[in-house]
Amino acid sequence: MMTLSKPLAGGLPIGAVPVKERIAAAIQHGDHGSTFAGGPLVCNAALVVLDKISKPSFLDNISNKGKHFQELLQQKLGGKQHVKEVRGQGLIIGIELDVPAAPLVDACRSSGLLILTSGKGNIVRLVPPLIISEQELEECVEILFKCLPLLDETPKG
């Protein structure tokens, strides 16, 4: 049994609980309820999303964007002061720093880029939408590069 939600319907509220037949047979009508069970509109949106992401060309495009994004980040940020590692898979990227990431997050937000922290607060987490363009990825990297020197003012934590 696993629970799924957020991206299933392209941002509309839906949840799903896929189970094996053995477990499904044990669940009776009324045993499970959800505020995100999905009405007809949301379920149709989820079908469109599933149709789109199940196409190999779409997934290949995401994989290629992720590789391009990581290459750009390595070129611009790899080896810079405070950057310990750039890692990730697909479009989910982490930039490990040797200082807290909060000042970089704030500076990027002021420059129009929303990013998050992860780990112990020293990892910048980048999770762009799957439909992001290469130009937008390049803009993201430029903002990070421009804001990175702000970390020189941050004491190691």
Side-chain angles (χ1 to χ4, degrees):
M1 179 182 296
M2 105 175 64
T3 59
L4 309 169
S5 61
K6 287 184 182 181
L8 285 179
L12 295 173
I14 192 169
V17 182
V19 296
K20 294 189 178 223
E21 286 184 39
R22 181 176 61 84
I23 300 205
I27 299 173
Q28 301 299 313
H29 182 74
D31 285 350
H32 182 289
S34 172
T35 56
F36 296 131
L41 173 69
V42 176
C43 287
N44 277 309
L47 289 173
V48 170
V49 169
L50 290 172
D51 182 56
K52 177 92 172 165
I53 66 172
S54 65
K55 292 183 175 154
S57 61
F58 182 77
L59 297 176
D60 288 344
N61 188 28
I62 300 307
S63 178
N64 290 335
K65 283 182 190 178
K67 288 175 187 167
H68 179 65
F69 194 22
Q70 283 195 52
E71 288 169 3
L72 289 172
L73 288 165
Q74 288 289 358
Q75 291 168 5
K76 292 291 259 187
L77 305 181
K80 298 287 187 225
Q81 185 174 355
H82 303 300
V83 177
K84 290 175 69 175
E85 182 181 16
V86 176
R87 62 180 177 261
Q89 184 167 350
L91 285 171
I92 301 173
I93 311 287
I95 303 169
E96 185 175 357
L97 306 173
D98 65 1
V99 294
L104 181 60
V105 171
D106 293 341
C108 286
R109 183 176 45 247
S110 295
S111 296
L113 177 64
L114 297 177
I115 59 176
L116 304 168
T117 60
S118 186
K120 297 177 182 176
N122 67 318
I123 297 174
V124 173
R125 186 172 66 167
L126 306 170
V127 188
L130 300 180
I131 59 170
I132 193 165
S133 69
E134 287 195 13
Q135 179 182 346
E136 290 168 322
L137 291 173
E138 291 165 6
E139 290 172 16
C140 170
V141 174
E142 285 304 318
I143 291 171
L144 283 162
F145 181 72
K146 179 187 84 171
C147 294
L148 195 64
L150 181 75
L151 292 177
D152 292 340
E153 303 165 15
T154 304
K156 287 189 177 189

